Amino acid sequence: MPAWLAAAAGLAVLAAAPAETSAPRPGVAHGARVAQRQCAGCHAVGSAGRSPNSGAPTFRDLSQRYSPLALEESLKRVSTQGHFEMRARSISSSEAADLAAYIESLSSPDK
């Protein structure tokens, strides 16, 4: 069998194979725990429900409004300065990154 035919057959097999589901991004599970601990008192942090504080957006809404990078930067600012009625929350840079990854995961079809 010519090499080009073998390569083509191999590619055809790969193309026909079912796609693997992507693994959760690093930090998403930790971000969910941070959300429960630091944010759930005011925000709806899951895939359903209303925020306990009617003025606090749900994390689902945040996932639709902001890019992951914008979320992470905003969370870092909130951790030191607060935001509107929200007081500053003590979260580390890595927790902010994980929290942003979790919020972003709420808009992903493969949650």
Side-chain angles (χ1 to χ4, degrees), residues 31-43 45 59 78-79 86-92 95 99:
R33 290 190 302 275
V34 172
Q36 284 297 322
R37 185 178 70 242
Q38 295 279 14
C39 313
C42 295
H43 296 271
V45 299
F59 276 21
V78 165
S79 73
M86 188 168 67
R87 65 180 171 80
R89 308 296 297 194
S90 178
I91 60 173
S92 68
E95 287 175 322
L99 188 53

Side-chain angles (χ1 to χ4, degrees), residues 55-100:
T58 67
F59 276 21
R60 295 178 313 281
D61 289 341
L62 294 176
S63 73
Q64 298 297 314
R65 288 189 216 171
Y66 301 100
S67 71
L69 182 59
L71 277 169
E72 185 175 343
E73 291 303 314
S74 180
L75 290 166
K76 287 177 184 176
R77 274 192 309 280
V78 165
S79 73
T80 60
Q81 301 170 6
H83 182 70
F84 294 112
E85 295 178 17
M86 188 168 67
R87 65 180 171 80
R89 308 296 297 194
S90 178
I91 60 173
S92 68
S93 290
S94 64
E95 287 175 322
D98 292 348
L99 188 53

